[in-house]
Amino acid sequence: MRLGDRLYYQMRRFRKHLAILGAVIGPGVIVMVADNDAGGFTTYMLSGAYYRYSFIWIVLLLGPVAYVCQEMTVRLGVMTKRGHAQAIFEAFGPFWGWFSLSDLTLTDCLTITTEFIGMTMAMEVFGIPPLFTEVVVISFIMLMLVNGRYWTWEKIVLAICAVNMIVVPVVFFIHPDVNDIFKTGVVPGFPEGLGGPVLFLIMATIGTTIAPWMIFFQQSSVVDKGLKKRDVPYARMDTAFGSAFTVVTAIALIIVATVFFGGDANLQSAGEAAKLLMPLHPYVGIILAIGLFDAGLIGALSVSLASSWAVGEVFGWSHSLNDRLGQAKWFNLFRLSIMVIAGTIVLIPGAPLGTITLFVQVIAVTLLPAALVFLIVLLNQEELVGAYKNTRAQNIMAGTVVGIILTLSTAYGVGTIFPKLFGG
Amino acid sequence: MSLLSDAAEKIRSINRRYAVPRIKLTRGTKIILVALRLYLLVLVGMLLYVLIATVR
């Protein structure tokens, strides 16, 4: 075959692969970008403000770790056509099923509360009252389902995901010290050792990168989208792209926080950072507020779906995004309820919002090890996943990741309960 | 009342449907599940301890 012909066929093949990737892309990018939710924004801003660029290498490491965990949900979802909650019920029985479902629902409801805290704080920068923000957000999330098509929902969410990266261009205008970034950020090391708040912030970073709801969300999403075996390589790419986007945005947030607040250990949240920047650097403040609102919105959208899908699967309700609002009334009512409960908690005067934010992590810690262990056990069942069973290398990799996460997240949970244990 | 009894019946039917685990539980898997139960017991115990200590 002539070189020209060969190039022509290669080009056609490439375009075909690109078209399939375009169709498959969605669950992986959404779940990974939703990882940079309002809580994630605050965690990265605080790590930059407290310890400058020192956390960049941790974020770089966590990207592939999140990929390893999420890729397994793709294979399990495609092969079993079951969400993670239903798969747990079927494989391990009612005890573990109810434990996972109730823990997930409680964690999700509290996580959505933190998303609303972030969104209302971001909109307060523009003088918009919290109640108005919440009503508009909940109405928007529910109206996205009126059309009753998964594809429409996914495209809207992907557009919202693109806004999550709004902070990235800011890095090019604020002239950070690139040498310093490579010297103190990319080379592994712990600022001031591992004592005090450093360990706490490392664990918070891990907690925000790998969360239980992500496992449930992506597996249900893959099932609802109807991905098939042949789509698995593209779904893997989708997850890898999402992981890369998350890492880039997280690093951008750390850089922005370092440039404007580096060494300031008094910063409390991303919302406060946006407010503080408004008088001095209004454009950066506005961008940060928009980014924080967007992060909270993607978080609320995805987290509320994770538990609604899980409860819908187990109770046998219609739970597809392809169903119209009225067709899947219990599924939508459940989703609306957890958002209204979360929104109401934020509006209660004097509500212990700080305690809630910490409590989320503790409850999540109880679910994360179980969810990850179940994932590995299920992916070793040949009768369930056939040729997509974990290989020995995948088991070693996933087992190592689970071991590290288990140790650190347990330490985080224990550290939250007993703050003095790690010198905090 | 009917709503509550309906919900209870639904939960009972879910328990019946999933009563028998549908995967082969090897010895290793059984050990892992017992370890997970113990881990959770310790974690919940700690939470209760903190709660009681705070209330006191």
Side-chain angles (χ1 to χ4, degrees):
Chain A
M1 202 187 286
R2 283 184 311 178
L3 184 68
D5 293 340
R6 218 185 307 163
L7 271 174
Y8 171 75
Y9 284 113
Q10 287 288 349
M11 200 66 193
R12 273 190 61 172
R13 262 186 71 185
F14 178 71
R15 279 175 58 181
K16 190 186 143 198
H17 286 306
L18 214 59
I20 300 172
L21 180 64
V24 171
I25 217 158
V29 167
I30 294 169
V31 77
M32 288 295 192
V33 173
D35 206 17
N36 279 346
D37 61 352
F41 253 58
T42 289
T43 305
Y44 299 129
M45 287 296 292
L46 294 189
S47 62
Y50 294 3
Y51 301 110
R52 304 179 62 84
Y53 302 120
S54 312
F55 273 62
I56 289 180
W57 70 272
I58 297 173
V59 173
L60 282 170
L61 271 182
L62 284 174
V65 169
Y67 171 82
V68 168
C69 297
Q70 292 305 126
E71 186 271 339
M72 288 194 282
T73 68
V74 172
R75 281 184 281 140
L76 194 58
V78 164
M79 295 307 290
T80 60
K81 304 278 177 236
R82 301 271 193 279
H84 201 55
Q86 200 179 350
I88 291 172
F89 263 97
E90 287 186 352
F92 303 102
F95 172 80
W96 288 112
W98 287 119
F99 162 75
S100 302
L101 197 63
S102 48
D103 206 350
L104 176 77
T105 307
L106 181 62
T107 316
D108 283 1
C109 194
L110 294 173
T111 307
I112 298 166
T113 309
T114 65
E115 308 300 357
F116 277 119
I117 296 171
M119 282 188 280
T120 50
M121 278 187 95
M123 285 299 105
E124 272 174 350
V125 169
F126 304 111
I128 297 170
L131 179 63
F132 183 78
T133 305
E134 287 189 2
V135 171
V136 171
V137 165
I138 294 175
S139 308
F140 173 71
I141 290 176
M142 295 313 291
L143 282 172
M144 281 170 77
L145 300 173
V146 167
N147 174 280
R149 284 186 65 188
Y150 177 92
W151 286 88
T152 313
W153 175 87
E154 191 180 78
K155 295 299 168 266
I156 298 171
V157 180
L158 282 174
I160 299 170
C161 286
V163 182
N164 194 260
M165 296 185 85
I166 194 170
V167 188
V168 178
V170 174
V171 172
F172 297 99
F173 295 102
I174 56 176
H175 310 295
D177 185 342
V178 181
N179 278 335
D180 202 13
I181 292 175
F182 277 96
K183 222 163 62 185
T184 59
V186 181
V187 179
F190 295 106
E192 302 164 24
L194 256 177
V198 178
L199 186 62
F200 221 67
L201 216 47
I202 291 172
M203 291 164 188
T205 309
I206 294 168
T208 194
T209 314
I210 300 128
W213 71 264
M214 294 169 67
I215 296 169
F216 289 82
F217 177 89
Q218 193 167 3
Q219 194 170 329
S220 295
S221 184
V222 160
V223 174
D224 205 0
K225 189 166 179 172
L227 294 187
K228 303 202 164 42
K229 270 194 245 180
R230 62 169 184 267
D231 301 320
V232 170
Y234 301 99
R236 281 176 174 149
M237 273 191 252
D238 171 37
T239 311
F241 286 146
S243 171
F245 293 151
T246 308
V247 169
V248 169
T249 307
I251 291 173
L253 281 166
I254 293 174
I255 293 173
V256 170
T258 306
V259 170
F260 292 107
F261 302 99
D264 176 8
N266 294 318
L267 192 71
Q268 294 296 316
S269 67
E272 189 194 346
K275 276 182 195 165
L276 289 171
L277 281 171
M278 282 306 280
L280 306 165
H281 307 277
Y283 290 113
V284 182
I286 288 170
I287 287 173
L288 198 57
I290 293 172
L292 177 61
F293 175 79
D294 183 79
L297 181 60
I298 303 170
L301 264 164
S302 318
V303 177
S304 63
L305 255 181
S307 41
S308 308
W309 262 326
V311 173
E313 287 155 11
V314 174
F315 279 82
W317 303 333
S318 291
H319 58 273
S320 171
L321 294 186
N322 286 314
D323 295 327
R324 285 180 182 275
L325 270 178
Q327 279 176 300
K329 61 177 180 191
W330 288 109
F331 166 72
N332 287 311
L333 201 65
F334 180 83
R335 195 169 176 221
L336 180 67
S337 307
I338 53 173
M339 282 194 289
V340 169
I341 292 169
T344 310
I345 292 171
V346 178
L347 294 177
I348 296 170
L353 300 180
T355 311
I356 289 170
T357 310
L358 283 177
F359 196 61
V360 171
Q361 309 297 344
V362 178
I363 302 288
V365 162
T366 62
L367 181 57
L368 187 60
L372 287 172
V373 167
F374 293 151
L375 199 59
I376 296 178
V377 172
L378 288 169
L379 275 151
N380 277 284
Q381 306 299 316
E382 203 159 0
E383 66 271 26
L384 272 184
V385 287
Y388 287 89
K389 187 183 160 191
N390 267 4
T391 59
R392 187 183 285 253
Q394 280 171 323
N395 273 335
I396 291 171
M397 209 153 57
T400 311
V401 166
V402 169
I404 294 168
I405 290 171
L406 226 151
T407 312
L408 287 173
S409 59
T410 306
Y412 184 36
V414 173
T416 308
I417 300 168
F418 303 104
K420 285 179 184 158
L421 208 65
F422 298 113
Chain B
M1 201 61 193
S2 149
L3 198 71
L4 274 178
S5 56
D6 283 355
E9 180 46 44
K10 184 81 192 168
I11 289 169
R12 274 196 291 272
S13 78
I14 291 169
N15 287 344
R16 278 195 297 272
R17 198 185 328 148
Y18 298 115
V20 183
R22 288 178 208 176
I23 61 163
K24 270 185 239 153
L25 291 174
T26 59
R27 204 169 172 189
T29 312
K30 281 180 187 164
I31 292 169
I32 288 170
L33 292 181
V34 171
L36 262 177
R37 279 191 198 223
L38 288 173
Y39 168 83
L40 286 172
L41 215 65
V42 171
L43 217 60
V44 172
M46 275 196 308
L47 274 170
L48 283 175
Y49 167 77
V50 172
L51 193 75
I52 292 164
T54 313
V55 171
R56 275 184 181 176

